[in-house]
Structures are given as C-alpha cells and as structure tokens.
Amino acid sequence: MCSWGNCGPSSLAGYCSSSVSLVGLPWPAPGAAHLDAILSHGIRSFTMAHVGSWQVPFLAQYPDFLAAGVILLASAFVYCGVHICSWLNRTFSAISLVVILFIVTLGFVLARPENWSTEEGGFAPFGFSGIMAGAATCFFAFLGFGAIAASSEEGQNPKRAVPMAIAISVGLMAGTNILASTVLTLMVPRHGLDPDWTLADAFYQRGYSWAGFIVAAGAVCCMTTVLFNILFAVPRIVHAMSTDGLFFQIFTRVHPRTQVPIVGILVFGFLMPLLAVLLDLEALIRFLSIGTLVTRPVVNTSIIVLRFQKSSPSSPLGSVSPGPVAEGYEHSSGHRRLEDTEQPSAAEPGQLRPALRPFLGFISGCRPGAAVAWALRVLVVSAIILDCVLAFGKSALHLPPWGHTLLLLLSSVVFLLSLLVLGAHQQQRRQDTFQVPMVPLIPAASILLNVFLMLHLSSLTWLRFSIWLLIDPFWLCYGYEGPKANSWESRHASHPCFSLPRENKGFLSGQEILETA
C-alpha cells in the first residue's frame, strides 16, 4: 500500500495535470471563433437558430460542434501512432511560426507608438498588479511542455535532448507571445479590440482584411498544434500513473501495433468534445491557468524532496527511491547495509554537510532527512504567508502598518533561513542524468513566484477549482489506498515498446522526467 508521502503528491500532481489538460482540450474553440468572426458570425447564427442556445453560468452560449469535430479528428490521428502525429505536429507548427512571423513583421510596419501614450493609458495602464493578474490569467499559454517529458521514452538521448527542447520551446513561446502582444497593442488601442478574435480584428480595423484570413488560418493551426500535444501527453501521463498503481489498471493497455495507450486516448478523445460543446471558453481559460499554476509548486517541492533522498540500490540507474525524506533511510534495509560499508565521514543525501557540522551541531543530531523535511515544510508555509502579504497588502489583511511590516520581515527571514537549512545538507549528485541546477534556490524561487501569481486570480476561479477537486476525491484517495507503485521492471515489461534495455533506448527515470517537466 502506498503511503501518502509516497503517492499523495504524485497523485495530486498527476490529477491536476490530467484534469487541467482535460479542460484544455477545447483549444480549437478560439480557432473556431476566428473562423466564425471572419464569416460574419454565420456559424454562431446558424447553430443558435437551428439547435438553440442557453443562458447558464459556466456553460457556452451555444454548442460549438466545430471545435468538437476538430478534437475527434485529432484524436483519430493520435490513435494512429507517434509518427503520424509527429509529422502533423511539425507541419502545423511550421505554418504557425510562419504566420507569427508574418503578424510580427506586418504589425510593426502598421505600429502606432501613440497607442502607448498617456492618453491611451500608457504602457501599463493597470500597473504592476494588473501585470501580475494578466500573467496569472494567461499562464495557460505555457501549458503543454510536459508533452516533451512525456515523450522522452521515444527519444534517442532524452537526458540531453529533453531539457534542451524544453528550454528552446519555452524561450520561443515567451518571445512570440511578447512580440505578438507588442504589435497587437501598437496597431490598435487595447480598448478597441474584439476579444473573440483580437489579432484578426486588429488587421481588419487597419484595412488589411486579407491579412485577417491568414491570421485566422494561423490561429487554427496553432490551436491544432496545442491540441496534438495535449492529446499526446495526457494518455501517457495517465498510463504512467496506472503503471505506478496511482490510477485504474485498465489505462495501462497499449495498442499492439502502434504502441499507444488506447484506453486513455479513447476516454479523453470522447470526453473532451463534450466539454468543448458545453463549457464556456472564458471559464475554461481561467481554470487552465489556476490548474497549471497549482502543479508547479507541487513539482518544485517534489524536486527538493527527491534531491535530498538517497538513491535506491535496486533501480537500474539509481533512480530515486520512493518515500518521504524523513523516512527514506528508516524503512530500507538496503540503505542500512550501505551505511555500514561507507566511511563515517562521508555525508549521504539528507545529512548535514561535514564542513558545517561544527557550526550546526544541533541539526547534525537529527535523523538523515528529518531536518530537510521540516525545513521544506517551513519554506512552503513561509512562502505562502510572504506572498499573501505582498499580494494583498495591509489594507486587505486589515493590519496596521507596523503589523504589516513585521509580518513581511518575519516571513522573509523564515523563508531565507529554511532555504539556508536546505542548502546546508548534502544533495544527491548523479552524472548520468539531468538534474535541475542550483537546488534548492531555483525550486524555492519558483514556488514563491507561482504562489504569488495564483493569489492574483479571482475568488470565483478558486471556487471553481475547489469544486473540481471535490468532484473526484476518489482519485486522490486511490493514490493513498491503491496498490504499491510498480517496479521499473514490471512497468516496462508490460509495455512492448519498453522491452529494450534502458541504456540502448536512453530512457529517463521518473526523477529525470519530473525535473525536466
């Protein structure tokens, strides 16, 4: 039976990732909106006249059958195997990049710098808080990079290629988003744009209707690319959870010829069109943002936990043993045998560094990993308190000025001290895999920033996300009461594609996939 320390965070992260992608699959809806706008809203008028409409909160005004049809078609291509899906993904990605270059080039030609003047509100009309709120709402734009890590087992040298691919993809995505937003607001004032088809509407307002068709075609290709990535990654995430005993075993089935997780593709491929038909696009976007943001602190916390754990001697490449930091050395007889054979002065992962033992003797008396576990808990709590103080301010918290300053200083000092305690302990060092650099500094900064962005989302978005988590509590309970996670051998023996030795295929371990994601 899995303990909560072993399976709980993994089950929560997997549930958030798969559920976020679940509602993220109605991505063709914006592309359909572009086509509808170019056709003078003919699709919407026809659907509302012949099918009907409804005015229900969180539901779409009318059923979007076009988006549902695109999802079904994309699911069929993903079912055909990796090669077809990869070829289509590269084709649509190339078209999207060409259209983006076209938008940026023509947009700068048509730019009007006076749109950023003080009369129009300036460069940042809503200030720093508005920038943070916009970043939190639009964080869904960075959803889908987990598909790179999920497809690592099909790669030749994933421990080098996966981190490089993610870094290049994130850089390109950030750069194109910044450039597109820049030319969009320089072409037309922000308050004059139609939110249903902003980029195409900007060219229409400037008299370039022919460019609007190109933009609409690029929007459809871009949304289809994201759709392929999500449909490719989500069934594999669920497959990995199932093989580890965190979800139902029926999702471990793969197609004998194409080697794709057929059950996951069929379930998600038919469930997503239903959401695309029924749910409101704005509600989906807000849920995507908070769901994506929630997974980031969980992943970064897990990276710190794994970095201070001792490697399991039974894993093929020394993959990190499951279990919490504080218990990783207590319940493993193999660890005790290794400790007996090592030199007493050699520091193991989770133990205090030898050079700091004379100065931090009160910590060296703790069990290996115990101080790390407590420091990590304190770091997360202090990060949440610090973000609340920074995000809400003294007025929203109803604190006097001295109380606000005192709470800010205390939370900052506690956060830094817990970070120093983590850094004072020996980490796991491996030369054969990719590891996140500057741990625990980078994961701690990521936790702090992501929680800060989450606090800028509306209370209604938090309510929707809470209700979504309460809909399927058995998912998290399954990670606690379900069967123990399968071994590496049993996982790969059940998948014909994984039958080759790991050294020949260049597979990533669970920790490597976690750290690259």
Side-chain angles (χ1 to χ4, degrees):
M1 181 179 293
C2 294
S3 65
W4 173 254
N6 291 353
C7 300
S10 301
S11 183
L12 177 60
Y15 175 60
C16 290
S17 299
S18 55
S19 60
V20 165
S21 301
L22 181 73
V23 298
L25 280 173
W27 263 104
H34 276 75
L35 292 177
D36 187 33
I38 291 177
L39 298 175
S40 301
H41 301 287
I43 299 176
R44 180 176 64 182
S45 301
F46 178 84
T47 305
M48 294 178 66
H50 293 81
V51 179
S53 62
W54 50 75
Q55 300 294 332
V56 181
F58 310 136
L59 295 183
Q61 186 179 4
Y62 65 96
D64 194 345
F65 294 110
L66 179 60
V70 172
I71 295 175
L72 289 174
L73 183 61
S75 301
F77 284 119
V78 174
Y79 185 85
C80 294
V82 176
H83 298 291
I84 296 178
C85 181
S86 178
W87 181 82
L88 290 174
N89 192 23
R90 289 195 299 266
T91 302
F92 285 119
S93 297
I95 296 175
S96 301
L97 289 176
V98 172
V99 173
I100 289 174
L101 291 176
F102 168 78
I103 292 172
V104 172
T105 303
L106 184 58
F108 274 115
V109 173
L110 302 176
R112 293 174 176 173
E114 58 269 17
N115 289 338
W116 283 4
S117 62
T118 55
E119 290 78 9
E120 296 290 345
F123 174 74
F126 299 102
F128 179 76
S129 60
I131 294 175
M132 292 295 102
T137 304
C138 296
F139 200 81
F140 70 91
F142 291 87
L143 175 67
F145 296 107
I148 301 176
S151 60
S152 60
E153 291 176 326
E154 283 86 1
Q156 297 295 329
N157 185 19
K159 61 189 177 186
R160 177 182 179 273
V162 171
M164 183 181 299
I166 291 180
I168 294 174
S169 301
V170 171
L172 289 175
M173 176 65 70
T176 53
N177 283 334
I178 293 173
L179 290 174
S181 301
T182 300
V183 300
L184 179 64
T185 53
L186 284 175
M187 289 173 58
V188 179
R190 57 172 182 82
H191 51 76
L193 292 169
D194 187 344
D196 291 333
W197 56 313
T198 51
L199 283 171
D201 181 52
F203 286 101
Y204 265 84
Q205 292 190 32
R206 296 300 302 273
Y208 289 79
S209 58
W210 58 271
F213 284 95
I214 298 177
V215 172
V220 173
C221 293
C222 182
M223 301 305 173
T224 306
T225 302
V226 178
L227 180 63
F228 274 126
N229 290 332
I230 296 177
L231 278 171
F232 182 86
V234 173
R236 284 162 173 78
I237 293 174
V238 176
H239 176 273
M241 293 177 63
S242 301
T243 53
D244 285 341
L246 298 176
F247 203 54
F248 304 109
Q249 294 300 304
I250 191 175
F251 286 91
T252 60
R253 299 182 180 178
V254 296
H255 194 278
R257 184 176 60 86
T258 60
Q259 303 300 323
V260 296
I262 53 176
V263 178
I265 293 176
L266 291 176
V267 170
F268 286 95
F270 283 98
L271 187 58
M272 299 313 104
L274 181 63
L275 296 180
V277 169
L278 297 178
L279 297 183
D280 178 52
L281 180 61
E282 183 179 357
L284 290 176
I285 288 176
R286 294 186 179 276
F287 180 87
L288 276 172
S289 298
I290 189 171
T292 308
L293 285 169
V294 164
T295 59
R296 298 304 184 265
V298 176
V299 170
N300 283 281
T301 303
S302 301
I303 290 175
I304 298 177
V305 170
L306 294 175
R307 185 60 62 86
F308 290 98
Q309 277 188 337
K310 187 177 179 181
S311 300
S312 174
S314 60
S315 59
L317 286 178
S319 59
V320 178
S321 59
V325 173
E327 300 177 3
Y329 303 92
E330 182 179 355
H331 301 292
S332 176
S333 59
H335 288 174
R336 292 195 184 98
R337 288 195 295 269
L338 288 178
E339 290 173 2
D340 294 338
T341 59
E342 292 177 351
Q343 299 178 358
S345 59
E348 298 177 351
Q351 289 183 338
L352 193 65
R353 298 178 186 270
L356 299 177
R357 289 175 184 174
F359 308 99
L360 300 174
F362 63 96
I363 298 180
S364 61
C366 301
R367 292 182 305 164
V372 172
W374 279 104
L376 182 57
R377 295 188 185 102
V378 173
L379 183 140
V380 173
V381 173
S382 60
I384 295 175
I385 296 175
L386 178 59
D387 285 326
C388 290
V389 174
L390 293 174
F392 299 134
K394 57 184 178 181
S395 58
L397 297 176
H398 303 288
L399 292 175
W402 64 269
H404 177 267
T405 304
L406 180 61
L407 187 59
L408 179 63
L409 291 176
L410 286 177
S411 58
S412 301
V413 171
V414 172
F415 179 82
L416 293 176
L417 288 177
S418 60
L419 188 61
L420 291 176
V421 171
L422 290 174
H425 287 77
Q426 189 69 30
Q427 300 182 22
Q428 176 195 148
R429 301 296 182 186
R430 293 166 56 184
Q431 302 297 327
D432 56 346
T433 65
F434 169 80
Q435 287 186 308
V436 175
M438 299 178 65
V439 173
L441 180 60
I442 291 180
S446 179
I447 293 172
L448 189 68
L449 180 59
N450 282 279
V451 173
F452 184 73
L453 291 175
M454 290 165 58
L455 294 176
H456 283 83
L457 294 171
S458 64
S459 56
L460 184 59
T461 302
W462 278 98
L463 178 62
R464 294 168 181 168
F465 182 74
S466 302
I467 294 175
W468 181 267
L469 288 179
L470 293 175
I471 289 176
D472 290 319
F474 73 88
W475 194 312
L476 297 180
C477 295
Y478 193 87
Y480 181 79
E481 297 292 345
K484 186 176 181 179
N486 298 337
S487 62
W488 183 89
E489 292 83 359
S490 62
R491 173 192 298 184
H492 290 74
S494 64
H495 200 313
C497 183
F498 301 155
S499 58
L500 293 177
R502 187 167 181 162
E503 295 78 11
N504 296 338
K505 290 289 290 183
F507 291 114
L508 288 181
S509 65
Q511 180 183 6
E512 296 168 61
I513 293 177
L514 177 65
E515 296 204 5
T516 52

